[in-house]
Amino acid sequence: MALKECEVELGGELKPKSFMAKDYGHDFSFDNAADLLESMGLPGGLLAMEDVLDCSFNKESGILWIRQKEKTQHYFRHIGRMVSFDTEIHVRVAHRHLHGLSGVKAKELFLWAPVSDVSVLDDGERLKFRSYGGITKTFPAKAFARGE
């Protein structure tokens, strides 16, 4: 995997070694992030960001960091939901699980709810999304395949 290594300071603050130092471009950075998600048993299109500049991954801590040019929104047509991606996304990646996600919000009725955790359920066919406050939603995993 060609992702850059990053450092994690005490207190959990993510500090990429070469923050803003290099623009790897969308295709390279997005594909590497999607490959990482798929290697961990998650759908590659889960973080459907645009104009990705850079991404880093720390194998020891499992923290993935992705930076894009500007805040974007993506409509997941198979589930009928709009999702907002901030300019920076931080998340701890484990097998079939994203924990402590920051920078991602999903529109639910008239509100934007931050998404904090994503887990693949035991059957492997569904994803469970959790927001702060214990709110959960379950959707088919295929709705988040790369290219959807």
Side-chain angles (χ1 to χ4, degrees):
M1 180 123 347
L3 291 176
K4 293 184 313 172
E5 287 292 318
C6 61
E7 301 171 339
V8 179
E9 293 182 349
L10 293 177
E13 181 80 15
L14 179 69
K15 296 291 182 189
K17 287 181 179 175
S18 57
F19 181 72
M20 303 276 291
K22 201 165 192 177
D23 182 343
Y24 284 96
H26 175 76
D27 291 339
F28 179 81
S29 297
F30 179 79
D31 287 346
N32 278 301
D35 288 346
L36 172 68
L37 292 175
E38 289 172 349
S39 74
M40 298 298 265
L42 295 155
L46 195 56
L47 300 176
M49 301 169 70
E50 300 172 12
D51 294 325
V52 174
L53 298 174
D54 210 353
C55 59
S56 298
F57 179 67
N58 183 298
K59 290 180 185 177
E60 289 180 22
S61 66
I63 292 180
L64 174 65
W65 167 83
I66 305 172
R67 183 172 58 97
Q68 65 179 353
K69 286 183 183 177
E70 57 189 41
K71 184 177 177 177
T72 59
Q73 294 181 354
H74 179 79
Y75 183 74
F76 287 95
R77 59 187 169 89
H78 291 296
I79 61 167
R81 293 287 192 282
M82 182 69 74
V83 177
S84 170
F85 297 95
D86 211 345
T87 56
E88 290 188 19
I89 305 297
H90 304 137
V91 65
R92 186 174 310 272
V93 182
H95 184 67
R96 296 172 56 134
H97 187 81
L98 298 178
H99 177 70
L101 186 60
S102 69
V104 178
K105 295 179 182 176
K107 191 165 188 179
E108 191 64 37
L109 298 175
F110 299 108
L111 301 172
W112 285 97
V115 178
S116 62
D117 293 303
V118 180
S119 299
V120 176
L121 296 179
D122 290 336
D123 63 7
E125 300 294 319
R126 297 174 295 144
L127 297 177
K128 183 177 184 177
F129 294 79
R130 185 180 315 257
S131 184
Y132 300 105
I135 300 169
T136 62
K137 288 279 187 178
T138 303
F139 297 107
K142 66 182 178 183
F144 302 95
R146 201 184 304 205
E148 287 299 319

